[in-house]
Amino acid sequence: MPALELIDHSPHHPSASPPLPNASNLVLIDNYDSFTWNVYQYLVLEGASVTVYRNDEITLQELIVKEPTQLVISPGPGHPDADVGISREAIRHFSGKIPVLGVCMGEQCIFSVFGGRVDVTGEILHGKTSPLRHDSKGVYASLPQDLPVTRYHSLAGTHATLPECLEVSSWIASGPDGGRGIIMGVRHKELLVEGVQFHPESILTAEGRSMLKNFLKMEGGTWAENERLQKQAVAKDHTNAIDGPIIPDGLLSGAHTHKQESILDRIYKDRKKAVAAQTLIPSQRPSDLQASYELNISPPQISFPQRLKLSPYPLSLMAEIKRASPSKGVISMSTCAPAQARKYALAGASVISVLTEPEWFKGSIEDLRAVRQSLEGMPNRPAVLRKEFIFDEYQILEARLAGADTVLLIIKMLDKPTLKRLYEYSQGLGMEPLVEVNTVEEMEIANELGAKVIGVNNRNLNNFEVDLNTTSRLMNKASKETIVCALSGIAGPDDVRTYRKNGVGAVLVGEALMRAADAATFVHQLLGAAGEPGSRSNNSRLLVKICGTRTPEAAKVAVEAGADLIGVILVEGRKRCVSRDTALAISIIVHETVKPIESYTSSLTVPPSLQASQYFDHTLSYLQRPERALLVGVFQNQPLSYILAQQKLLSLDVVQLHGSEPLEWASLIPVPVIHRFGPGDAGLGRRGYHALPLLDTASGGSGQTLDTEAVRKTLLSDDGLRVVLAGGLTPENVNSVLKQLDSLGSRVAGVDVSSGVEKDGVQSPEKIKAFVTAARSSVLDL
């Protein structure tokens, strides 16, 4: 684990908080540890009246008589089963009566008292810092993830013996997914008992005072009692509801004398600072972005509102890519954003939402850029939403340059003039924004703005509490023309059933989708559509290409045998190259000869217009004609101008590039392009350019076969890839070659033969017919 930057978080010039009435008699049990003084100092600075007792200098009965308002068990040396004096008895007695907190050894005592086993961790840590992951509840309310915390321990509670009554509240991330490694905190599920394995009182721990401050705000002996007491206190507070206290999620704060900074406030402050710094970097200054935009290099965009109206489901799906969140912590740190985007698109998503906030949500603008690239060339691709805390035109322009089709504008964090300015600026870039609301007042502002798409956030961004009825309550406040989307907290079919009845246009789903084992199945179950979404229809019939054709007679035989593609070599110096006159004669035959009807029974399904589909499945349809074969001109490292001239002269239906031609040429040639690659070559699966890749040797027509294992690896590396297979194929081996690929054989869209249908260097009509027949029958055997 990389070392964190060491920062002194101690209160150099501390200002004490006013005395807390609910913490007027806090008892701190000292397990003979020097850190007990630091714990005492932090508690006193936060307004507690603290009395310290050594663990062997007071009895339980004496402690009960003291009537403590809170109990804190300090760090200490040794083992929690043998070296903690009265600590274990005190935890047993006071749990359920008053708030109890254990620090380091104190946390281990809690773990052990409730039935868990504390054991060696396999590492000895003394004054080392680690990034902390947590559940954003209890002492961690309103705190960011990956806080550096200081650790002095070799023991910890074990996951395998975690008592049923306890839950893990914090941990050290383990593995690429940021999974739960060593336990750093536990919390009782019912009783107001919480423990932290690290040292919040250390000068190297960030937000240590905030954690203890959160603890001191807790009241009662159970979480339910704490919630009741906090709500009663809030009801007595006469502060205006808008400017009044913010109660962090999971804590229900009892402090009512001032407004507490919310998570939204903190994120907003952090983003303003980060964006301001970014705008000073050469190449990322506002003027740089504007200059780039004026060059018209932004990726093509689609209409966000129109795409929302196209869905294979009763409700449109906005599928979110989110690695973490303030309320849930880490969801999946190993997620590949572009790969996830393709899964969502093929599952039927109308919109893909990409979180680009880096600290709390672990996203970036590069995620959005990669997502947009992954959808390049995909028919009916989803719209791409930049989900971000936007407050400046700079962020909107940055989003457009990265490929966003829309951006999120959160009314809660924008005043009316700023909201209007950003809304109109986004529209000026061709992007209709998603305007987010959470209250009736915010819905009215969105209506005044004329927002075409309004997202109702079921999560309150001040305290991150979720109320799924929020969308339903605000539905009738929106105009009939407005598309209303339900955002946040949606996890299953029951959550969306009411939305469907109320006319909600779309639902945004993030965490549940990110955790789903199979995105398509989850979406199908969530939205309740008939049929299986996202399934791809493979051809049961191969394309057959007869290449190296040198006479009109051979071309006619191939077409009448049922071949789909007739290739002519137009590379001077190659033995199968044909002259201009011969090529013209072959062109006439190919364009005039009708294919036999029985040879064309394609089962290729045209992708539904409401859903995205795989690029190569779509382009495959370009190469199939029911009435005639297509003429393919084969070129190798010749000028683009020559290729374009030959295409026009010979009326080529398809161009095949067999050399090292740039991929971009495919977008400059006015007919579909087949591009040759070796297995594993760079650019082979690039969408948006060649219609299909051809797997063959560099020379072509040599009779040299490809390594089957290399072909398998190529197909396995990209589940959306379809290829034309060439290299040493004959009527005798085409069936066996495809069988060697097993189930991957269905990903072979076509087969290409040249020397395999020749006899003594001349195309054989019998071999041409035999190859077409063998290729057709091989599919039936797969």
Side-chain angles (χ1 to χ4, degrees), residues 90-113:
I91 291 170
R92 287 194 187 97
H93 177 80
F94 288 104
S95 292
K97 299 178 176 67
I98 59 175
V100 176
L101 175 68
V103 178
C104 197
M105 173 72 86
E107 186 266 357
Q108 294 174 9
C109 286
I110 292 170
F111 199 94
S112 177
V113 163

Side-chain angles (χ1 to χ4, degrees), residues 68-87:
T69 53
Q70 290 93 358
L71 176 68
V72 178
I73 310 296
S74 85
H79 195 282
D81 292 347
D83 304 301
V84 293
I86 196 178
S87 297

Side-chain angles (χ1 to χ4, degrees), residues 48-69:
S49 296
V50 182
T51 306
V52 182
Y53 298 99
R54 287 281 174 86
N55 65 20
D56 57 356
E57 293 182 352
I58 189 170
T59 67
L60 180 61
Q61 288 305 316
E62 290 172 336
L63 189 56
I64 292 172
V65 171
K66 301 292 184 184
E67 296 185 348
T69 53

Side-chain angles (χ1 to χ4, degrees), residues 536-542 600-606 620 624 722 779:
R536 179 178 66 197
S537 176
N538 287 323
N539 276 344
S540 62
R541 175 183 179 277
L542 285 175
Y600 192 85
T601 56
S602 171
S603 63
L604 180 69
T605 302
V606 177
L620 181 54
Q624 292 184 324
R722 305 294 296 276
V779 180

Side-chain angles (χ1 to χ4, degrees), residues 314-382:
L315 280 167
S316 292
L317 173 66
M318 304 172 73
E320 189 156 270
I321 297 172
K322 177 168 62 175
R323 294 190 180 90
S325 75
S327 60
K328 299 296 183 180
V330 172
I331 297 170
S332 176
M333 291 297 286
S334 64
T335 293
C336 173
Q340 193 78 356
R342 282 187 181 171
K343 291 178 184 177
Y344 288 170
L346 296 173
S350 298
V351 177
I352 295 177
S353 170
V354 185
L355 262 301
T356 61
E357 193 281 328
E359 298 302 323
W360 297 75
F361 294 91
K362 308 302 179 187
S364 72
I365 192 67
E366 291 308 313
D367 280 339
L368 189 143
R369 198 183 316 278
V371 164
R372 178 60 183 85
Q373 289 172 351
S374 75
L375 304 177
E376 189 67 32
M378 181 176 281
N380 303 309
R381 73 165 177 86

Side-chain angles (χ1 to χ4, degrees), residues 401-619:
L401 283 168
D405 300 295
T406 182
V407 295
L408 176 70
L409 298 179
I410 304 173
I411 288 183
K412 190 178 295 294
M413 61 178 282
L414 301 170
D415 57 45
K416 284 186 179 182
T418 303
L419 174 67
K420 187 173 188 296
R421 190 182 76 244
L422 296 179
Y423 181 81
E424 292 176 350
Y425 179 78
S426 181
Q427 285 185 316
L429 298 184
M431 298 189 296
E432 178 65 33
L434 170 64
V435 179
E436 180 183 307
V437 305
N438 178 251
T439 65
V440 172
E441 293 77 15
E442 290 172 1
M443 178 65 86
E444 290 174 353
I445 293 173
N447 288 331
E448 286 178 26
L449 190 67
K452 297 180 176 64
V453 184
I454 297 176
V456 180
N457 198 342
N458 295 315
R459 189 184 305 278
N460 185 314
L461 290 182
N462 283 330
N463 55 31
F464 271 63
E465 291 182 348
V466 173
D467 178 2
L468 290 175
N469 292 322
T470 304
T471 299
S472 299
R473 287 196 299 269
L474 298 184
M475 267 298 297
N476 62 354
K477 304 296 182 182
S479 66
K480 292 182 179 180
E481 296 77 22
T482 303
I483 301 173
V484 176
C485 311
L487 317 179
S488 294
I490 297 160
D494 292 341
D495 297 334
V496 300
R497 198 164 287 119
T498 302
Y499 295 153
R500 290 176 59 181
K501 293 178 182 178
N502 291 346
V504 172
V507 291
L508 184 143
V509 184
E511 180 193 352
L513 251 180
M514 291 289 290
R515 298 188 190 278
D518 184 284
T521 300
F522 176 85
V523 171
H524 172 69
Q525 294 170 348
L526 177 75
L527 299 179
E532 289 296 330
S535 60
R536 179 178 66 197
S537 176
N538 287 323
N539 276 344
S540 62
R541 175 183 179 277
L542 285 175
L543 289 175
V544 178
K545 176 171 174 275
I546 306 297
C547 202
T549 305
R550 280 163 282 175
T551 66
E553 293 76 16
K556 188 174 183 64
V557 169
V559 175
E560 291 179 342
D564 302 287
L565 304 164
I566 309 298
V568 291
I569 308 299
L570 301 173
V571 185
E572 291 187 12
R574 297 292 297 273
K575 67 178 182 179
R576 295 184 179 88
C577 181
V578 297
S579 66
R580 173 179 177 277
D581 291 342
T582 301
L584 284 168
I586 292 173
S587 176
I588 293 171
I589 289 295
V590 171
H591 285 87
E592 291 183 352
T593 303
V594 178
K595 289 170 66 174
I597 295 176
E598 62 272 15
S599 74
Y600 192 85
T601 56
S602 171
S603 63
L604 180 69
T605 302
V606 177
S609 60
L610 300 181
Q611 184 173 336
S613 59
Q614 294 278 15
Y615 171 76
F616 289 118
D617 286 348
H618 176 75
T619 55

